[in-house]
Amino acid sequence: MRPSEGSRRGAMALRGSGLTRYLLLLAQENLEFRLPEIKSLISLNGGQFCSQLESNLNSPFWILNLLSEEMARGLMKRTVCAKSIFELWGRGKSVEELHSSLKKYPVEKMEPYLQSNFTYKIKVHAFNKTLTQEEKIERIDIANGQRDLIESYSVKRRHFIGNTSMDACLAFIMANHGRVKTNDIVFDPFVGTGGLLIASAHFGAYVCGTDIDYSTVHGLGKASRKNQKWRGPDENIRANLRQYGLENYYLDILVSDASKPIWRKGMQFDAIITDPPYGIREATRRTGSQKEMGKVTERGTENHISISSNYQLSDILFDLLKFAAEYLVIGGRLVYWLPVYKPEYTEEIIPRHPCLKLISNCEQTLSSHTSRHLITMEKVKEFEDEDRSSNILESRYLTYKSHNSFREKYFSGVTKRIAKEEKDNQK
């Protein structure tokens, strides 16, 4: 990488700031999520994001300026988007430039690694080109990322899964966006089979959740696995945490309606991490009939709510943000997925709240016409009574009511695609 005049001046300023340059090698997947994850983890380790991103953010090579090697190691102990990090001694487009850059690096930082009894190795990583052996650039490898978590926590080998169990990599990305740390309390109001809680528990957080589906919470009914008709006697969220040695972090899972308040005042969570239902694989439901949503509903068997009605996506989002504003600690984060119909997407449809600051908005494409956005928000203001019925909230609610038809638009696109494929096959 050829240093520009600006980067030379930046390097001089860097030497006087106490920061050290590192080269971060990232995986070439989930590109939209990488920057928010790295920023969140540097913040979690007590630093501020400071980078020389002279090239495209889609490049796997980023230069970071960090306070210490300890901070670099702390970053790599959590990230699932990065593979490795290296202390960057020098860089250049040619051998001469590299040599000149190396001579400017502080000798006292190199000396511990230049002893006669030390060995070294060269690693080569290329992007959009093939490098020969002569083109290798020497760097010091100090840590590796947590990419192995993706395989060890794979849903394919998980004890208890459902139709909407979250991919392991995305679950860890969400926990990192939420800055989940040891002894935090993390809540998922649409817990399902608990995949998001597993990722948070891995990082030392105590986890709890709610879900309206009695059968899912208690591990009853038909199985989601191929060649398995019914769920087994010990298929539940607690058993999943036990599978990974994380049962001590399990608080509880409640059968509850996310639209109904159940928590006492003063109860606060460090993070709320969730994937709300949007009607594709799971129905959007809440308790009560369409005629009498405000009244106590009829009940069937013990602890089992028998009557439910459609829970509009706009209502889900409206309730979720109000809940986060009231029950998050200051500085706590809400991380959730927002489904989007691409032709109608604008920034204005992203739900907002006066108590919550938008931190990041990352898109994952689902089809040619739909996607979902990973939204991360941070609580910056204490919740007050006027926030419960704010006119600002009501006007914003009307803005994103278009989300209610996402299911119809999603399947409309699928139907059109199938029809087109059948027509093409007939030619």
Side-chain angles (χ1 to χ4, degrees):
M1 187 183 300
R2 187 183 185 92
S4 64
E5 185 60 34
S7 66
R8 291 192 188 98
R9 288 196 299 269
M12 294 174 64
L14 193 64
R15 285 196 285 272
S17 67
L19 298 174
T20 300
R21 285 186 309 180
Y22 291 90
L23 182 72
L24 186 68
L25 173 63
L26 296 117
Q28 283 303 98
E29 62 183 37
N30 296 315
L31 304 188
E32 284 275 342
F33 308 99
R34 300 189 309 187
L35 183 59
E37 190 210 45
I38 299 303
K39 283 185 174 181
S40 296
L41 294 181
I42 291 176
S43 170
L44 183 62
N45 282 277
Q48 289 186 333
F49 182 79
C50 183
S51 174
Q52 299 175 31
L53 293 178
E54 299 170 351
S55 57
N56 194 308
L57 279 172
N58 290 337
S59 167
F61 302 109
W62 292 2
I63 294 177
L64 302 180
N65 302 321
L66 302 176
L67 285 171
S68 65
E69 182 176 312
E70 181 182 3
M71 184 173 288
R73 290 185 181 276
L75 167 65
M76 300 309 290
K77 285 179 180 177
R78 287 289 299 266
T79 178
V80 292
C81 287
K83 293 181 176 180
S84 303
I85 194 168
F86 308 86
E87 185 176 328
L88 184 58
W89 286 6
R91 55 177 177 158
K93 194 172 182 180
S94 65
V95 174
E96 291 76 18
E97 284 183 4
L98 176 60
H99 186 229
S100 175
S101 179
L102 284 168
K103 289 195 296 184
K104 295 175 183 177
Y105 198 77
V107 176
E108 63 272 15
K109 287 191 174 184
M110 293 184 177
E111 280 180 342
Y113 305 100
L114 299 179
Q115 307 303 315
S116 59
N117 61 333
F118 270 46
T119 60
Y120 69 92
K121 65 178 178 179
I122 295 175
K123 286 188 175 182
V124 178
H125 301 283
F127 177 56
N128 284 343
K129 66 183 296 186
T130 301
L131 300 177
T132 65
Q133 183 68 21
E134 290 74 22
E135 295 172 315
K136 292 178 181 179
I137 300 174
E138 183 178 343
R139 296 176 177 88
I140 298 176
D141 184 5
I142 66 166
N144 291 318
Q146 301 300 303
R147 299 285 296 170
D148 58 326
L149 293 179
I150 300 170
E151 182 62 25
S152 57
Y153 281 85
S154 172
V155 175
K156 294 178 181 179
R157 292 188 294 277
R158 189 166 297 167
H159 185 66
F160 174 49
I161 63 169
N163 294 333
T164 59
S165 293
M166 183 64 65
D167 168 78
C169 181
L170 293 177
F172 281 107
I173 286 174
M174 292 178 74
N176 284 337
H177 281 210
R179 297 192 303 191
V180 173
K181 60 186 183 299
T182 301
N183 294 328
D184 277 357
I185 298 179
V186 176
F187 176 65
D188 182 352
F190 304 97
V191 70
T193 56
L196 301 181
L197 299 188
I198 292 172
S200 294
H202 173 84
F203 293 132
Y206 293 94
V207 297
C208 56
T210 60
D211 202 286
I212 195 173
D213 192 325
Y214 179 93
S215 296
T216 298
V217 170
H218 291 278
L220 305 174
K222 292 184 178 180
S224 297
R225 294 189 192 281
K226 187 179 180 181
N227 301 325
Q228 181 182 343
K229 188 172 182 179
W230 302 102
R231 287 178 174 141
D234 194 32
E235 287 194 45
N236 53 60
I237 295 172
R238 188 166 195 156
N240 274 350
L241 290 164
R242 188 184 308 125
Q243 177 183 354
Y244 301 109
L246 302 172
E247 189 175 4
N248 288 342
Y249 296 106
Y250 176 87
L251 295 177
D252 207 350
I253 305 298
L254 307 176
V255 179
S256 177
D257 179 354
S259 71
K260 302 289 192 298
I262 64 169
W263 301 100
R264 62 173 172 80
K265 287 187 179 296
M267 177 65 191
Q268 290 190 307
F269 302 104
D270 297 287
I272 298 172
I273 299 178
T274 191
D275 180 22
Y278 30 93
I280 305 304
R281 294 184 180 178
E282 292 291 342
T284 54
R285 297 184 295 133
R286 60 179 169 186
T287 57
S289 66
Q290 295 290 357
K291 293 182 179 179
E292 299 180 298
M293 283 304 301
K295 297 183 178 180
V296 177
T297 61
E298 177 186 342
R299 293 176 181 269
T301 58
E302 183 181 1
N303 297 324
H304 179 60
I305 300 169
S306 58
I307 293 183
S308 63
S309 65
N310 189 34
Y311 193 8
Q312 295 286 1
L313 188 54
S314 59
D315 293 322
I316 292 176
L317 300 173
F318 189 71
D319 291 342
L320 178 61
L321 264 67
K322 283 205 297 183
F323 180 85
E326 184 170 2
Y327 289 100
L328 277 175
V329 300
I330 291 291
R333 289 191 169 185
L334 165 67
V335 184
Y336 72 97
W337 289 100
L338 175 71
V340 166
Y341 182 62
K342 286 184 177 182
E344 297 177 358
Y345 173 75
T346 65
E347 291 285 338
E348 286 70 28
I349 69 171
I350 298 174
R352 306 296 178 99
H353 192 285
C355 297
L356 303 173
K357 175 185 176 183
L358 180 65
I359 300 297
S360 62
N361 171 10
C362 307
E363 182 184 20
Q364 181 189 39
T365 297
L366 299 177
S367 69
S368 60
H369 59 288
T370 60
S371 64
R372 61 179 182 175
H373 289 232
L374 184 62
I375 307 297
T376 302
M377 309 184 86
E378 184 173 316
K379 184 173 178 179
V380 294
K381 171 183 172 294
E382 287 290 0
F383 184 85
E384 299 173 359
D385 287 339
E386 55 263 30
D387 295 318
R388 194 180 305 278
S389 57
S390 167
N391 291 331
I392 297 176
L393 285 178
E394 295 297 338
S395 63
R396 284 175 176 163
Y397 169 77
L398 295 174
T399 301
Y400 53 84
K401 282 194 76 172
S402 61
H403 291 305
N404 292 344
S405 57
F406 175 78
R407 185 179 187 277
E408 289 73 20
K409 292 169 184 175
Y410 177 89
F411 284 112
S412 172
V414 171
T415 302
K416 290 177 181 178
R417 176 176 55 80
I418 293 174
K420 183 178 182 302
E421 290 175 354
E422 290 176 348
K423 184 177 180 180
D424 292 341
N425 292 333
Q426 292 173 358
K427 291 181 179 178

PDB file of all heavy atoms in Angstrom, residues 110-120:
ATOM      1  N   MET A 110      10.571  -2.620  18.206  1.00  0.00           N
ATOM      2  CA  MET A 110      11.002  -3.803  17.454  1.00  0.00           C
ATOM      3  C   MET A 110      11.932  -4.700  18.265  1.00  0.00           C
ATOM      4  O   MET A 110      11.917  -5.921  18.106  1.00  0.00           O
ATOM      5  CB  MET A 110      11.738  -3.374  16.184  1.00  0.00           C
ATOM      6  CG  MET A 110      10.903  -2.679  15.145  1.00  0.00           C
ATOM      7  SD  MET A 110      11.921  -2.352  13.681  1.00  0.00           S
ATOM      8  CE  MET A 110      10.734  -1.628  12.581  1.00  0.00           C
ATOM      9  N   GLU A 111      12.743  -4.095  19.116  1.00  0.00           N
ATOM     10  CA  GLU A 111      13.827  -4.818  19.792  1.00  0.00           C
ATOM     11  C   GLU A 111      13.405  -6.105  20.494  1.00  0.00           C
ATOM     12  O   GLU A 111      14.099  -7.128  20.392  1.00  0.00           O
ATOM     13  CB  GLU A 111      14.515  -3.880  20.786  1.00  0.00           C
ATOM     14  CG  GLU A 111      15.501  -2.936  20.114  1.00  0.00           C
ATOM     15  CD  GLU A 111      16.180  -2.022  21.108  1.00  0.00           C
ATOM     16  OE1 GLU A 111      15.675  -1.869  22.243  1.00  0.00           O
ATOM     17  OE2 GLU A 111      17.236  -1.477  20.745  1.00  0.00           O
ATOM     18  N   PRO A 112      12.255  -6.128  21.217  1.00  0.00           N
ATOM     19  CA  PRO A 112      11.884  -7.380  21.907  1.00  0.00           C
ATOM     20  C   PRO A 112      11.713  -8.570  20.971  1.00  0.00           C
ATOM     21  O   PRO A 112      11.811  -9.726  21.402  1.00  0.00           O
ATOM     22  CB  PRO A 112      10.554  -7.015  22.584  1.00  0.00           C
ATOM     23  CG  PRO A 112      10.569  -5.538  22.729  1.00  0.00           C
ATOM     24  CD  PRO A 112      11.295  -5.045  21.522  1.00  0.00           C
ATOM     25  N   TYR A 113      11.471  -8.294  19.668  1.00  0.00           N
ATOM     26  CA  TYR A 113      11.216  -9.370  18.709  1.00  0.00           C
ATOM     27  C   TYR A 113      12.417  -9.664  17.812  1.00  0.00           C
ATOM     28  O   TYR A 113      12.338 -10.510  16.925  1.00  0.00           O
ATOM     29  CB  TYR A 113      10.010  -8.994  17.836  1.00  0.00           C
ATOM     30  CG  TYR A 113       8.775  -8.654  18.639  1.00  0.00           C
ATOM     31  CD1 TYR A 113       8.424  -7.323  18.864  1.00  0.00           C
ATOM     32  CD2 TYR A 113       7.972  -9.658  19.178  1.00  0.00           C
ATOM     33  CE1 TYR A 113       7.294  -6.998  19.608  1.00  0.00           C
ATOM     34  CE2 TYR A 113       6.845  -9.339  19.926  1.00  0.00           C
ATOM     35  CZ  TYR A 113       6.516  -8.006  20.141  1.00  0.00           C
ATOM     36  OH  TYR A 113       5.409  -7.682  20.873  1.00  0.00           O
ATOM     37  N   LEU A 114      13.503  -8.980  18.037  1.00  0.00           N
ATOM     38  CA  LEU A 114      14.667  -9.127  17.155  1.00  0.00           C
ATOM     39  C   LEU A 114      15.809  -9.865  17.825  1.00  0.00           C
ATOM     40  O   LEU A 114      16.957  -9.763  17.395  1.00  0.00           O
ATOM     41  CB  LEU A 114      15.137  -7.738  16.686  1.00  0.00           C
ATOM     42  CG  LEU A 114      14.104  -6.929  15.885  1.00  0.00           C
ATOM     43  CD1 LEU A 114      14.677  -5.569  15.510  1.00  0.00           C
ATOM     44  CD2 LEU A 114      13.680  -7.681  14.639  1.00  0.00           C
ATOM     45  N   GLN A 115      15.527 -10.614  18.880  1.00  0.00           N
ATOM     46  CA  GLN A 115      16.562 -11.374  19.574  1.00  0.00           C
ATOM     47  C   GLN A 115      16.963 -12.593  18.751  1.00  0.00           C
ATOM     48  O   GLN A 115      16.171 -13.126  17.967  1.00  0.00           O
ATOM     49  CB  GLN A 115      16.058 -11.818  20.959  1.00  0.00           C
ATOM     50  CG  GLN A 115      15.520 -10.679  21.814  1.00  0.00           C
ATOM     51  CD  GLN A 115      16.526  -9.578  22.034  1.00  0.00           C
ATOM     52  OE1 GLN A 115      17.694  -9.844  22.330  1.00  0.00           O
ATOM     53  NE2 GLN A 115      16.109  -8.334  21.872  1.00  0.00           N
ATOM     54  N   SER A 116      18.180 -13.056  18.947  1.00  0.00           N
ATOM     55  CA  SER A 116      18.713 -14.160  18.140  1.00  0.00           C
ATOM     56  C   SER A 116      17.979 -15.471  18.382  1.00  0.00           C
ATOM     57  O   SER A 116      17.974 -16.358  17.525  1.00  0.00           O
ATOM     58  CB  SER A 116      20.211 -14.343  18.435  1.00  0.00           C
ATOM     59  OG  SER A 116      20.410 -14.613  19.821  1.00  0.00           O
ATOM     60  N   ASN A 117      17.353 -15.605  19.554  1.00  0.00           N
ATOM     61  CA  ASN A 117      16.643 -16.853  19.861  1.00  0.00           C
ATOM     62  C   ASN A 117      15.168 -16.815  19.445  1.00  0.00           C
ATOM     63  O   ASN A 117      14.403 -17.722  19.746  1.00  0.00           O
ATOM     64  CB  ASN A 117      16.749 -17.156  21.355  1.00  0.00           C
ATOM     65  CG  ASN A 117      16.130 -16.068  22.215  1.00  0.00           C
ATOM     66  OD1 ASN A 117      16.077 -14.918  21.796  1.00  0.00           O
ATOM     67  ND2 ASN A 117      15.700 -16.425  23.422  1.00  0.00           N
ATOM     68  N   PHE A 118      14.756 -15.747  18.748  1.00  0.00           N
ATOM     69  CA  PHE A 118      13.388 -15.624  18.282  1.00  0.00           C
ATOM     70  C   PHE A 118      13.253 -16.157  16.863  1.00  0.00           C
ATOM     71  O   PHE A 118      14.157 -16.007  16.046  1.00  0.00           O
ATOM     72  CB  PHE A 118      12.947 -14.152  18.309  1.00  0.00           C
ATOM     73  CG  PHE A 118      12.315 -13.739  19.616  1.00  0.00           C
ATOM     74  CD1 PHE A 118      12.900 -14.094  20.830  1.00  0.00           C
ATOM     75  CD2 PHE A 118      11.152 -12.989  19.638  1.00  0.00           C
ATOM     76  CE1 PHE A 118      12.337 -13.702  22.030  1.00  0.00           C
ATOM     77  CE2 PHE A 118      10.583 -12.595  20.842  1.00  0.00           C
ATOM     78  CZ  PHE A 118      11.178 -12.957  22.049  1.00  0.00           C
ATOM     79  N   THR A 119      12.125 -16.822  16.616  1.00  0.00           N
ATOM     80  CA  THR A 119      11.834 -17.277  15.254  1.00  0.00           C
ATOM     81  C   THR A 119      10.672 -16.462  14.697  1.00  0.00           C
ATOM     82  O   THR A 119       9.987 -15.764  15.436  1.00  0.00           O
ATOM     83  CB  THR A 119      11.455 -18.763  15.238  1.00  0.00           C
ATOM     84  OG1 THR A 119      10.288 -18.953  16.043  1.00  0.00           O
ATOM     85  CG2 THR A 119      12.589 -19.621  15.781  1.00  0.00           C
ATOM     86  N   TYR A 120      10.458 -16.543  13.416  1.00  0.00           N
ATOM     87  CA  TYR A 120       9.355 -15.824  12.804  1.00  0.00           C
ATOM     88  C   TYR A 120       8.833 -16.618  11.614  1.00  0.00           C
ATOM     89  O   TYR A 120       9.463 -17.555  11.133  1.00  0.00           O
ATOM     90  CB  TYR A 120       9.786 -14.424  12.340  1.00  0.00           C
ATOM     91  CG  TYR A 120      10.734 -14.421  11.167  1.00  0.00           C
ATOM     92  CD1 TYR A 120      10.246 -14.342   9.861  1.00  0.00           C
ATOM     93  CD2 TYR A 120      12.114 -14.510  11.347  1.00  0.00           C
ATOM     94  CE1 TYR A 120      11.097 -14.353   8.776  1.00  0.00           C
ATOM     95  CE2 TYR A 120      12.974 -14.522  10.268  1.00  0.00           C
ATOM     96  CZ  TYR A 120      12.471 -14.433   8.990  1.00  0.00           C
ATOM     97  OH  TYR A 120      13.327 -14.452   7.916  1.00  0.00           O
TER      98      TYR A 120
END
